[in-house]
Amino acid sequence: MKDPTPRGRPLATGEKGVIVYGILSVLLVLLVVQLWLLTATTNAWLGGDDSVVLPAAVASLVCLGLNVGLLFHIFRLE
Amino acid sequence: MTEAESPRTPDGRPFRDQPRWRRDFPIDVAEDAYVARRDFAKYVVLVSGAFATGQVSMLLRSALARRAPAPPRLRIASVVDVPVGGAIAFRYPADGDPCLLIRRREGEFLAYGSECTHLMCAVLPEVAKGRLRCPCHQGYFDLSTGRPIAGPPRRALPTVTLDVRDGEIYATGVRLESQ
């Protein structure tokens, strides 16, 4: 596994905390995007417009992939 | 425990100046915040997975609906059963789908799903005013198109396509707004 610190220095708890805050901010933004996608797609789908369902599902899965990747990055800080 | 090793405290004062209970049960605030945020991140990703699952389930249901057979042709009533300016209720295409057949003028029949697209209350025809009204939250739909014209509903009522033949009225399908 690649060391997240360039010089191999272990991160202090405070530094890890800052990184987690940054990652958490990105996670929350992506979550809001997913929520918007879900509500907009549901509204269109219930109204009979299913043309947006596939692109929205792909976009939501991409957001999920990014979120999972960022979560793994948090665990790599341990 | 030396000063350098002592945990960071919530108020920033040295560890030796902290109350006795805190010295007995020392908590490193930065470490505690780090663990809490890390666990919160896990739950955020869990919710993200739930949202993605919802999107995919919509995609699957959409694909299944496309494969479903077309609704059957169903006799609703005879022309003489529906007075001009009146309406009758029927169910189409399934028993759980209440609809309204409306005779606006002589020879003009309209049919819509009768569940409001806001919160599924039954809509009432107001033929003289050219609209359908949902009494629950005062939503209104245009009688000619089924589109919402006032109130909370944002989506049109499903339109039931009709075929009037030999004095009988048949339902032949259901059309949603965008189709």
Side-chain angles (χ1 to χ4, degrees), chain B residues 119-139:
Chain B
L119 289 176
M120 299 176 77
C121 290
V123 296
L124 305 171
E126 294 183 343
V127 180
K129 296 177 179 174
R131 67 191 188 187
L132 295 134
R133 180 172 70 92
C134 174
C136 291
H137 302 101
Q138 302 306 317

Side-chain angles (χ1 to χ4, degrees), chain A residues 13 21 34 38 48 67 78, chain B residues 31 34 37-38 48 55 178:
Chain A
T13 306
Y21 268 116
Q34 277 190 297
L38 187 63
N67 282 345
E78 300 293 322
Chain B
E31 181 69 25
Y34 168 68
R37 295 296 171 260
R38 188 190 61 192
S48 169
Q55 291 279 157
S178 65

Side-chain angles (χ1 to χ4, degrees), chain B residues 40-125:
Chain B
F40 181 55
K42 274 194 248 177
Y43 283 106
V44 168
V45 174
L46 196 65
V47 175
S48 169
F51 287 170
T53 305
Q55 291 279 157
V56 171
S57 71
M58 231 183 299
L59 181 66
L60 293 176
R61 287 188 65 177
S62 185
L64 287 175
R66 246 182 243 140
R67 289 175 149 202
R73 181 183 169 88
L74 178 77
R75 180 187 171 278
I76 305 170
S78 297
V79 170
V80 292
D81 294 337
V82 191
V84 174
I88 62 168
F90 66 102
R91 293 178 180 274
Y92 183 81
D95 277 347
D97 301 315
C99 301
L100 278 175
L101 172 66
I102 302 154
R103 187 174 190 179
R104 186 156 69 167
R105 297 186 197 93
E106 188 70 41
E108 183 183 4
F109 293 92
L110 302 160
Y112 299 106
S114 63
E115 284 179 343
C116 178
T117 54
H118 176 224
L119 289 176
M120 299 176 77
C121 290
V123 296
L124 305 171

Side-chain angles (χ1 to χ4, degrees), chain A residues 7-60:
Chain A
R7 285 167 291 185
R9 177 176 66 82
L11 289 168
T13 306
E15 292 174 317
K16 286 196 286 186
V18 170
I19 294 171
V20 170
Y21 268 116
I23 289 176
L24 200 53
S25 307
V26 179
L27 288 179
L28 288 171
V29 169
L30 289 169
L31 192 72
V32 170
V33 169
Q34 277 190 297
L35 180 61
W36 174 78
L37 276 171
L38 187 63
T39 51
T41 310
T42 305
N43 195 36
W45 183 59
L46 290 175
D49 180 8
D50 59 0
S51 63
V52 295
V53 173
L54 178 61
V58 171
S60 188

